[in-house]
Amino acid sequence: MYYLRALWNSPYTFWFILALPGLPIIGGLLREGEKLEHLLHPSGEFAARFLIVSLMITPLMFLTKGQRWVRWLLARRRYIGVAAGCYAALHLAIYLLDKGSLGPILEDLVKIGIWTGWLASLIFIPLTITSNDWSISKLGRSWKSLQKLAYPAAALVLAHWILLDFKIGPALVHFTPLILLQAYRYMHVTNKRKERKLTAHA
């Protein structure tokens, strides 16, 4: 039992789980002569899913009053965020390979949906490369401020999804839980502040 628990709690096991959705995507990339367009959706969707999960953990801590499974996820939140960044990079790589040359890429720049994707990708870069102990130590309090860029990144990912597909349903299915949990978090924090003010003036 001890060894099973140690295996389950190993960061290598968690990384393996995070990497599993990417295996068939990378397999599709390696097959010669296979078109790449159909790989865009799964790579982008998993980038969005892992970003959403990473942002849901803090409000879930408030909602569940810090239940054990949420604390387990909290301890691995940086891994999930890095996975989101890696899938976003994979999504971008597939897009560039699918276009094949600079001309089609430049033609796409007139589309707002493409712009939102590029901006989200740019935000993912500092978030991903600073998700390590060394960066936390060097950046200090600035690290948390930097990580808050994940929220505008999520908004851009949602806009990218909707503006490219023009199908709001699938995007909302993914993002509605996050929106509701963040609304709950805001109300929870606001109520706590009001209680502290009332207590201070009592």
Side-chain angles (χ1 to χ4, degrees):
M1 190 67 180
Y2 169 79
Y3 294 106
L4 286 175
R5 188 180 295 110
L7 179 65
W8 175 246
N9 289 324
S10 168
Y12 300 107
T13 302
F14 197 66
W15 276 117
F16 176 74
I17 293 170
L18 294 174
L20 279 176
L23 297 180
I25 299 172
I26 294 172
L29 274 173
L30 296 176
R31 293 190 193 101
E32 291 185 11
E34 186 170 347
K35 292 182 180 180
L36 302 178
E37 188 177 0
H38 73 285
L39 299 174
L40 283 168
H41 280 290
S43 57
E45 285 175 7
F46 275 105
R49 286 165 186 162
F50 286 128
L51 176 61
I52 289 166
V53 170
S54 69
L55 293 176
M56 288 172 62
I57 293 172
T58 297
L60 277 172
M61 284 289 290
F62 291 121
L63 183 64
T64 65
K65 302 186 187 303
Q67 285 189 12
R68 187 174 181 179
W69 66 274
V70 185
R71 286 188 277 113
W72 188 88
L73 282 174
L74 181 64
R76 292 155 180 79
R77 181 168 56 183
R78 274 190 285 157
Y79 301 158
I80 300 170
V82 170
C86 290
Y87 279 96
L90 180 61
H91 179 67
L92 178 59
I94 292 169
Y95 168 76
L96 295 175
L97 290 170
D98 183 55
K99 291 300 178 183
S101 62
L102 186 60
I105 294 169
L106 293 176
E107 288 175 9
D108 265 358
L109 291 180
V110 298
K111 302 174 183 177
I112 298 176
I114 294 296
W115 270 106
T116 55
W118 277 107
L119 289 172
S121 297
L122 289 174
I123 293 174
F124 270 119
I125 294 171
L127 293 178
T128 304
I129 64 176
T130 59
S131 290
N132 54 73
D133 294 337
W134 184 86
S135 296
I136 294 172
S137 174
K138 290 295 180 182
L139 293 173
R141 292 182 179 180
S142 300
W143 185 81
K144 283 192 175 181
S145 298
L146 177 64
Q147 292 298 310
K148 288 179 181 177
L149 289 174
Y151 295 100
L156 287 166
V157 169
L158 175 59
H160 177 66
W161 194 333
I162 293 172
L163 291 171
L164 283 185
D165 280 351
F166 294 102
K167 294 178 181 178
I168 195 170
L172 287 183
V173 166
H174 283 77
F175 278 89
T176 296
L178 173 61
I179 293 168
L180 292 176
L181 280 170
Q182 289 297 337
Y184 170 80
R185 177 187 181 183
Y186 174 79
M187 290 186 292
H188 177 84
V189 171
T190 301
N191 290 336
K192 287 293 182 182
R193 286 174 180 169
K194 287 179 180 178
E195 288 176 8
R196 283 197 294 266
K197 285 182 180 179
L198 289 172
T199 303
H201 288 89

Tab-separated table of all heavy atoms in Angstrom, residues 54-84:
chain	number	residue	atom	x	y	z
A	54	SER	N	-6.254	24.467	-13.753
A	54	SER	CA	-5.297	25.165	-12.876
A	54	SER	C	-5.929	26.386	-12.217
A	54	SER	O	-5.617	26.703	-11.070
A	54	SER	CB	-4.058	25.571	-13.672
A	54	SER	OG	-4.352	26.597	-14.605
A	55	LEU	N	-6.839	27.056	-12.931
A	55	LEU	CA	-7.483	28.258	-12.380
A	55	LEU	C	-8.676	27.931	-11.488
A	55	LEU	O	-9.138	28.787	-10.728
A	55	LEU	CB	-7.932	29.180	-13.522
A	55	LEU	CG	-6.806	29.811	-14.348
A	55	LEU	CD1	-7.380	30.627	-15.497
A	55	LEU	CD2	-5.914	30.692	-13.478
A	56	MET	N	-9.179	26.714	-11.574
A	56	MET	CA	-10.315	26.311	-10.748
A	56	MET	C	-9.898	25.899	-9.340
A	56	MET	O	-10.725	25.863	-8.430
A	56	MET	CB	-11.063	25.143	-11.415
A	56	MET	CG	-11.861	25.527	-12.640
A	56	MET	SD	-12.543	24.080	-13.512
A	56	MET	CE	-13.613	23.370	-12.254
A	57	ILE	N	-8.623	25.594	-9.147
A	57	ILE	CA	-8.189	24.981	-7.885
A	57	ILE	C	-8.367	25.913	-6.694
A	57	ILE	O	-8.885	25.504	-5.640
A	57	ILE	CB	-6.731	24.503	-8.001
A	57	ILE	CG1	-6.647	23.351	-9.009
A	57	ILE	CG2	-6.204	24.042	-6.636
A	57	ILE	CD1	-5.231	22.921	-9.342
A	58	THR	N	-7.976	27.189	-6.823
A	58	THR	CA	-8.107	28.113	-5.695
A	58	THR	C	-9.559	28.318	-5.274
A	58	THR	O	-9.873	28.198	-4.078
A	58	THR	CB	-7.435	29.466	-6.005
A	58	THR	OG1	-6.033	29.250	-6.205
A	58	THR	CG2	-7.629	30.448	-4.863
A	59	PRO	N	-10.485	28.624	-6.200
A	59	PRO	CA	-11.881	28.740	-5.752
A	59	PRO	C	-12.445	27.436	-5.202
A	59	PRO	O	-13.299	27.450	-4.304
A	59	PRO	CB	-12.638	29.198	-7.004
A	59	PRO	CG	-11.733	28.956	-8.149
A	59	PRO	CD	-10.349	29.033	-7.611
A	60	LEU	N	-11.962	26.298	-5.699
A	60	LEU	CA	-12.398	25.012	-5.144
A	60	LEU	C	-11.926	24.845	-3.700
A	60	LEU	O	-12.622	24.227	-2.888
A	60	LEU	CB	-11.865	23.854	-5.995
A	60	LEU	CG	-12.671	23.492	-7.238
A	60	LEU	CD1	-11.921	22.458	-8.078
A	60	LEU	CD2	-14.057	22.973	-6.878
A	61	MET	N	-10.764	25.417	-3.378
A	61	MET	CA	-10.289	25.392	-2.000
A	61	MET	C	-11.276	26.108	-1.078
A	61	MET	O	-11.569	25.648	0.028
A	61	MET	CB	-8.910	26.044	-1.902
A	61	MET	CG	-7.768	25.193	-2.408
A	61	MET	SD	-7.401	23.781	-1.332
A	61	MET	CE	-6.713	24.617	0.106
A	62	PHE	N	-11.801	27.254	-1.526
A	62	PHE	CA	-12.788	27.986	-0.736
A	62	PHE	C	-14.092	27.197	-0.644
A	62	PHE	O	-14.688	27.080	0.429
A	62	PHE	CB	-13.070	29.352	-1.368
A	62	PHE	CG	-11.930	30.321	-1.283
A	62	PHE	CD1	-11.368	30.864	-2.419
A	62	PHE	CD2	-11.416	30.703	-0.049
A	62	PHE	CE1	-10.310	31.761	-2.341
A	62	PHE	CE2	-10.363	31.594	0.047
A	62	PHE	CZ	-9.804	32.128	-1.107
A	63	LEU	N	-14.536	26.666	-1.788
A	63	LEU	CA	-15.835	25.995	-1.853
A	63	LEU	C	-15.861	24.722	-1.031
A	63	LEU	O	-16.851	24.422	-0.347
A	63	LEU	CB	-16.175	25.687	-3.322
A	63	LEU	CG	-17.532	25.040	-3.588
A	63	LEU	CD1	-18.673	25.981	-3.185
A	63	LEU	CD2	-17.657	24.667	-5.068
A	64	THR	N	-14.781	23.949	-1.069
A	64	THR	CA	-14.745	22.657	-0.375
A	64	THR	C	-14.108	22.747	1.003
A	64	THR	O	-13.955	21.722	1.670
A	64	THR	CB	-13.956	21.626	-1.209
A	64	THR	OG1	-12.583	22.038	-1.287
A	64	THR	CG2	-14.528	21.496	-2.610
A	65	LYS	N	-13.727	23.976	1.382
A	65	LYS	CA	-13.051	24.196	2.674
A	65	LYS	C	-11.766	23.367	2.788
A	65	LYS	O	-11.456	22.778	3.820
A	65	LYS	CB	-13.998	23.917	3.840
A	65	LYS	CG	-15.266	24.760	3.808
A	65	LYS	CD	-16.093	24.547	5.039
A	65	LYS	CE	-17.444	25.255	4.934
A	65	LYS	NZ	-17.319	26.701	4.686
A	66	GLY	N	-11.054	23.313	1.664
A	66	GLY	CA	-9.739	22.674	1.651
A	66	GLY	C	-9.757	21.169	1.793
A	66	GLY	O	-8.945	20.597	2.514
A	67	GLN	N	-10.697	20.512	1.100
A	67	GLN	CA	-10.737	19.047	1.168
A	67	GLN	C	-9.438	18.444	0.624
A	67	GLN	O	-8.723	19.067	-0.164
A	67	GLN	CB	-11.938	18.512	0.390
A	67	GLN	CG	-13.265	18.718	1.103
A	67	GLN	CD	-14.404	18.006	0.421
A	67	GLN	OE1	-14.206	17.179	-0.463
A	67	GLN	NE2	-15.625	18.334	0.825
A	68	ARG	N	-9.181	17.239	1.017
A	68	ARG	CA	-7.882	16.604	0.741
A	68	ARG	C	-7.586	16.517	-0.750
A	68	ARG	O	-6.455	16.767	-1.178
A	68	ARG	CB	-7.880	15.202	1.372
A	68	ARG	CG	-6.535	14.507	1.291
A	68	ARG	CD	-6.590	13.200	2.052
A	68	ARG	NE	-5.311	12.514	2.019
A	68	ARG	CZ	-5.086	11.361	2.613
A	68	ARG	NH1	-6.054	10.768	3.318
A	68	ARG	NH2	-3.898	10.776	2.529
A	69	TRP	N	-8.577	16.145	-1.562
A	69	TRP	CA	-8.329	15.974	-2.990
A	69	TRP	C	-7.999	17.295	-3.660
A	69	TRP	O	-7.209	17.342	-4.613
A	69	TRP	CB	-9.519	15.290	-3.675
A	69	TRP	CG	-10.785	16.096	-3.694
A	69	TRP	CD1	-11.744	16.147	-2.719
A	69	TRP	CD2	-11.226	16.960	-4.734
A	69	TRP	NE1	-12.765	16.993	-3.084
A	69	TRP	CE2	-12.469	17.503	-4.328
A	69	TRP	CE3	-10.713	17.331	-5.975
A	69	TRP	CZ2	-13.204	18.393	-5.112
A	69	TRP	CZ3	-11.435	18.219	-6.767
A	69	TRP	CH2	-12.664	18.737	-6.334
A	70	VAL	N	-8.577	18.392	-3.132
A	70	VAL	CA	-8.273	19.709	-3.701
A	70	VAL	C	-6.861	20.134	-3.295
A	70	VAL	O	-6.125	20.712	-4.096
A	70	VAL	CB	-9.303	20.764	-3.256
A	70	VAL	CG1	-9.042	22.098	-3.950
A	70	VAL	CG2	-10.715	20.305	-3.567
A	71	ARG	N	-6.487	19.834	-2.057
A	71	ARG	CA	-5.115	20.144	-1.618
A	71	ARG	C	-4.095	19.335	-2.419
A	71	ARG	O	-2.998	19.808	-2.695
A	71	ARG	CB	-4.972	19.877	-0.114
A	71	ARG	CG	-5.652	20.937	0.747
A	71	ARG	CD	-5.358	20.775	2.219
A	71	ARG	NE	-6.237	19.794	2.836
A	71	ARG	CZ	-5.858	18.633	3.325
A	71	ARG	NH1	-4.582	18.277	3.275
A	71	ARG	NH2	-6.719	17.804	3.875
A	72	TRP	N	-4.474	18.098	-2.789
A	72	TRP	CA	-3.615	17.265	-3.628
A	72	TRP	C	-3.394	17.940	-4.981
A	72	TRP	O	-2.268	17.978	-5.499
A	72	TRP	CB	-4.257	15.895	-3.800
A	72	TRP	CG	-3.406	14.869	-4.476
A	72	TRP	CD1	-2.516	14.022	-3.889
A	72	TRP	CD2	-3.368	14.569	-5.878
A	72	TRP	NE1	-1.923	13.210	-4.835
A	72	TRP	CE2	-2.422	13.526	-6.063
A	72	TRP	CE3	-4.038	15.080	-6.991
A	72	TRP	CZ2	-2.137	12.987	-7.315
A	72	TRP	CZ3	-3.752	14.556	-8.241
A	72	TRP	CH2	-2.816	13.513	-8.401
A	73	LEU	N	-4.458	18.475	-5.553
A	73	LEU	CA	-4.349	19.200	-6.823
A	73	LEU	C	-3.566	20.500	-6.658
A	73	LEU	O	-2.771	20.871	-7.528
A	73	LEU	CB	-5.745	19.514	-7.376
A	73	LEU	CG	-6.504	18.382	-8.051
A	73	LEU	CD1	-7.916	18.832	-8.400
A	73	LEU	CD2	-5.770	17.914	-9.309
A	74	LEU	N	-3.795	21.187	-5.541
A	74	LEU	CA	-3.103	22.455	-5.292
A	74	LEU	C	-1.586	22.252	-5.280
A	74	LEU	O	-0.839	23.088	-5.806
A	74	LEU	CB	-3.570	23.049	-3.959
A	74	LEU	CG	-2.963	24.397	-3.567
A	74	LEU	CD1	-3.378	25.482	-4.554
A	74	LEU	CD2	-3.389	24.774	-2.146
A	75	ALA	N	-1.149	21.154	-4.696
A	75	ALA	CA	0.286	20.862	-4.643
A	75	ALA	C	0.869	20.599	-6.022
A	75	ALA	O	2.086	20.663	-6.207
A	75	ALA	CB	0.536	19.661	-3.734
A	76	ARG	N	0.009	20.328	-7.006
A	76	ARG	CA	0.454	20.012	-8.363
A	76	ARG	C	-0.024	21.036	-9.381
A	76	ARG	O	0.045	20.786	-10.590
A	76	ARG	CB	-0.058	18.607	-8.749
A	76	ARG	CG	0.602	17.507	-7.938
A	76	ARG	CD	-0.238	16.267	-7.849
A	76	ARG	NE	0.445	15.240	-7.055
A	76	ARG	CZ	0.482	15.228	-5.723
A	76	ARG	NH1	-0.156	16.171	-5.026
A	76	ARG	NH2	1.137	14.289	-5.073
A	77	ARG	N	-0.488	22.174	-8.899
A	77	ARG	CA	-1.058	23.180	-9.802
A	77	ARG	C	-0.037	23.684	-10.822
A	77	ARG	O	-0.369	23.913	-11.983
A	77	ARG	CB	-1.633	24.355	-8.998
A	77	ARG	CG	-2.262	25.435	-9.870
A	77	ARG	CD	-3.060	26.405	-9.055
A	77	ARG	NE	-2.260	27.007	-8.001
A	77	ARG	CZ	-2.764	27.858	-7.096
A	77	ARG	NH1	-4.055	28.177	-7.136
A	77	ARG	NH2	-2.000	28.378	-6.159
A	78	ARG	N	1.196	23.859	-10.389
A	78	ARG	CA	2.208	24.344	-11.328
A	78	ARG	C	2.436	23.344	-12.459
A	78	ARG	O	2.656	23.731	-13.608
A	78	ARG	CB	3.524	24.617	-10.594
A	78	ARG	CG	3.582	26.017	-9.991
A	78	ARG	CD	4.985	26.314	-9.508
A	78	ARG	NE	5.315	25.623	-8.274
A	78	ARG	CZ	6.547	25.347	-7.864
A	78	ARG	NH1	7.581	25.674	-8.613
A	78	ARG	NH2	6.756	24.740	-6.713
A	79	TYR	N	2.374	22.057	-12.145
A	79	TYR	CA	2.523	21.040	-13.188
A	79	TYR	C	1.404	21.179	-14.223
A	79	TYR	O	1.644	21.070	-15.435
A	79	TYR	CB	2.469	19.625	-12.605
A	79	TYR	CG	3.504	19.306	-11.563
A	79	TYR	CD1	3.316	18.267	-10.648
A	79	TYR	CD2	4.698	20.023	-11.479
A	79	TYR	CE1	4.271	17.950	-9.698
A	79	TYR	CE2	5.662	19.716	-10.531
A	79	TYR	CZ	5.439	18.686	-9.641
A	79	TYR	OH	6.395	18.382	-8.697
A	80	ILE	N	0.193	21.390	-13.721
A	80	ILE	CA	-0.955	21.511	-14.621
A	80	ILE	C	-0.807	22.755	-15.497
A	80	ILE	O	-1.099	22.736	-16.693
A	80	ILE	CB	-2.266	21.562	-13.813
A	80	ILE	CG1	-2.424	20.289	-12.974
A	80	ILE	CG2	-3.469	21.734	-14.741
A	80	ILE	CD1	-3.559	20.350	-11.967
A	81	GLY	N	-0.342	23.850	-14.902
A	81	GLY	CA	-0.127	25.076	-15.663
A	81	GLY	C	0.936	24.901	-16.731
A	81	GLY	O	0.782	25.388	-17.866
A	82	VAL	N	2.019	24.201	-16.386
A	82	VAL	CA	3.076	23.934	-17.369
A	82	VAL	C	2.539	23.051	-18.498
A	82	VAL	O	2.853	23.265	-19.677
A	82	VAL	CB	4.298	23.274	-16.698
A	82	VAL	CG1	5.291	22.776	-17.743
A	82	VAL	CG2	4.981	24.271	-15.769
A	83	ALA	N	1.709	22.076	-18.146
A	83	ALA	CA	1.100	21.218	-19.166
A	83	ALA	C	0.251	22.054	-20.119
A	83	ALA	O	0.283	21.839	-21.338
A	83	ALA	CB	0.247	20.135	-18.505
A	84	ALA	N	-0.499	23.018	-19.581
A	84	ALA	CA	-1.294	23.904	-20.433
A	84	ALA	C	-0.394	24.659	-21.406
A	84	ALA	O	-0.700	24.776	-22.596
A	84	ALA	CB	-2.081	24.894	-19.572
